[in-house]
């Protein structure tokens, strides 16, 4: 293991040109004493890594969405505990400094259940040493990739059984691909699987305001995969669905309550409501670990509120009048009754609440 020099290296950036054609894009990796993140804020213009040596730099990277997407956050959280062990040894932390750093990391973003799960799973192994903690991150990544491949197969099976074995027009929201997971993706994993079976005609990609995970990240992943797509503003989703342009909507989830309510990127609820109106299947894809039995329903889920400037500035330029304030929730909650199928690695399951249709 290469431990960074005492004195404290800061986060550094390195181009990832050599990985451009790699079949599996991995947004988070343990780099033997540090964490390597693919800096998603630079995509699609630049493919560059961040080398993270301090827990608070990891927290900052999580908050500004350099690493994002629920499963990727879980893996980053587990490796973050390993990073805390390395930093503690380097800087001579006492126990309370260590615990506080891990607590800050666990709370860096509150909605995705995976971040706290990843931190907790790694923290449970700290008495077994650094290698055991690092192994938790690796095991989470392996399990997530396996789950995503199974989600892809189950989701494609369910959708083609429901809609008939034909090329489909799919709508998706936010980014649920390899960038958001260990590899492959959840909702985007189903789209990849449908594409592999020759069953994707076109993907409508919601741009996903305000941080554009759809137009920057999903569009980039679809282009890499050779899947035909159109980027649309979020406000176009309802009319595309109600107007008959969409056969199925497939989205991911950050946390699923015990009653089947789904927290996901802001704008997901509008997609679900339009699908319910139009009779278009609304499919949620997520690993079974996303189901949080401790959240009874939407009221128990904390929705992250993001800074005003993400809404009030466009491409760095203020577009709202001086003094304007923003309403900027990062996620919304879709009631279980609007979900036609929840696809996990275990198969398709119907949400716990009764269907409205
Ligand atoms: O704010 P983000 O980009 O982290 O939000 C991500 C999403 O909402 C995804 O849909 C969700 O995490 C599922 S990723 C497989």
């Amino acid at each position: 293991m290469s431990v960074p020099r005492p004195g404290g290296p800061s986060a550094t950036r390195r181009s990832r040109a050599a990985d451009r054609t790699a079949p599996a894009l991995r947004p988070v990796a343990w780099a033997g004493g540090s964490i390597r993140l693919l800096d998603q804020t630079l995509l699609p213009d630049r493919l560059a890594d961040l080398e993270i040596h301090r827990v608070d730099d990891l927290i900052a990277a999580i908050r500004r969405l350099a690493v994002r997407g629920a499963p990727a956050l879980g893996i980053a959280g587990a490796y973050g505990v390993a990073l805390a062990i390395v930093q503690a040894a380097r800087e001579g932390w006492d126990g309370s400094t260590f615990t506080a750093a891990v607590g800050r990391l666990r709370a860096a973003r509150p909605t995705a259940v995976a971040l706290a799960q990843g931190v907790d799973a790694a923290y449970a192994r700290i008495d077994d040493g650094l290698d055991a903690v690092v192994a938790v991150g690796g095991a989470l990544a392996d399990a997530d990739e396996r789950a995503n491949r199974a989600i892809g197969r189950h989701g494609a099976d369910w959708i083609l059984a429901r809609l008939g074995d034909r090329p489909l027009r799919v709508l998706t929201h936010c980014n649920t691909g390899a960038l958001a997971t260990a590899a492959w993706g959840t909702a985007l994993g189903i789209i990849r699987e449908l594409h592999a079976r020759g069953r994707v005609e076109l993907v409508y990609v919601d741009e996903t305001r305000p941080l554009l995970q759809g137009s920057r990240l999903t569009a980039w992943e679809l282009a890499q995969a050779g899947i035909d797509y159109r980027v649309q503003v979020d406000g176009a989703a309802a009319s595309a669905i109600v107007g008959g342009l969409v056969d199925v909507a497939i989205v991911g989830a950050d946390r699923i309550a015990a009653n089947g309510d789904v927290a996901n990127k802001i704008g997901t609820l509008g997609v679900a409501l339009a699908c319910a109106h139009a009779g278009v299947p609304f499919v949620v894809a997520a690993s079974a670990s996303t189901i949080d039995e401790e959240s009874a329903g939407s009221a128990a889920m904390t929705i992250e509120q993001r800074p005003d400037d993400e809404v009030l500035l466009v491409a760095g330029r203020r577009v709202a009048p001086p003094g304007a304030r923003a309403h900027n929730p990062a996620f919304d909650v879709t009631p279980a009754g609007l979900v036609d199928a929840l696809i996990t690695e275990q198969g398709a399951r119907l949400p716990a609440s009764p269907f409205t249709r």
Side-chain angles (χ1 to χ4, degrees), residues 15-316:
S15 168
R16 201 192 264 217
D19 288 351
R20 243 175 229 288
T21 54
L25 182 72
R26 292 181 193 282
V28 188
W30 180 251
S34 63
I35 295 175
R36 198 195 68 214
L37 300 177
L38 174 60
D39 187 346
Q40 300 189 31
T41 65
L42 302 177
L43 288 169
D45 298 331
R46 285 183 59 202
L47 202 55
D49 288 337
L50 279 172
E51 196 84 20
I52 303 277
H53 300 274
R54 293 193 176 104
V55 174
D56 283 314
D57 289 338
L58 176 61
I59 293 168
I62 289 171
R63 292 214 173 111
R64 70 183 184 86
L65 274 52
V67 59
R68 47 146 301 280
L73 288 174
I75 298 160
Y79 285 145
V81 176
L83 189 68
I85 294 173
V86 172
Q87 188 177 355
R90 189 176 66 230
E91 298 181 6
W93 287 358
D94 60 17
S96 65
T97 305
F98 181 86
T99 309
V102 170
R104 283 196 303 282
L105 173 62
R106 191 180 190 278
R109 294 189 74 194
T111 305
V113 67
L115 175 58
Q117 286 173 341
V119 169
D120 291 349
Y123 192 80
R125 298 299 305 274
I126 54 172
D127 289 344
D128 301 322
L130 178 63
D131 289 348
V133 172
V134 170
V136 171
L140 282 176
D142 291 346
D144 187 59
E145 181 171 1
R146 273 197 309 278
N148 292 342
R149 303 270 177 182
I151 287 168
R153 290 190 296 274
H154 292 311
D157 289 347
W158 188 89
I159 289 166
L160 294 175
R162 167 86 180 244
L163 293 173
D165 195 8
R166 60 186 171 93
L168 298 169
R169 299 158 307 164
V170 180
L171 181 144
T172 194
H173 191 79
C174 197
N175 172 265
T176 60
L179 293 167
T181 61
W184 192 248
T186 55
L188 201 57
I190 296 176
I191 295 170
R192 289 183 199 278
E193 176 69 23
L194 286 169
H195 173 68
R197 298 185 192 182
R199 296 294 179 267
V200 176
E201 182 180 321
L202 185 66
V203 181
Y204 289 94
V205 177
D206 289 353
E207 64 173 352
T208 317
R209 279 275 294 153
L211 297 178
L212 306 177
Q213 288 93 330
S215 53
R216 292 190 306 105
L217 308 178
T218 299
W220 182 76
E221 287 200 52
L222 289 171
Q224 301 269 313
I227 301 173
D228 199 10
Y229 68 90
R230 303 285 182 276
V231 176
Q232 62 183 1
V233 297
D234 296 348
S239 67
I241 293 164
V242 174
L245 298 182
V246 174
D247 297 308
V248 60
I250 317 175
V251 302
D254 284 84
R255 188 183 296 247
I256 300 172
N259 73 345
D261 290 354
V262 175
N264 193 49
K265 178 53 56 189
I266 190 75
T268 302
L269 173 58
V271 171
L273 287 166
C275 284
H277 180 82
V280 169
F282 178 81
V283 175
V284 175
S287 68
S289 62
T290 313
I291 301 170
D292 176 19
E293 300 293 346
E294 283 165 26
S295 293
S298 58
M301 296 197 267
T302 303
I303 301 300
E304 176 187 2
Q305 301 294 322
R306 305 272 312 167
D308 286 19
D309 278 356
E310 289 179 354
V311 173
L312 302 177
L313 274 63
V314 171

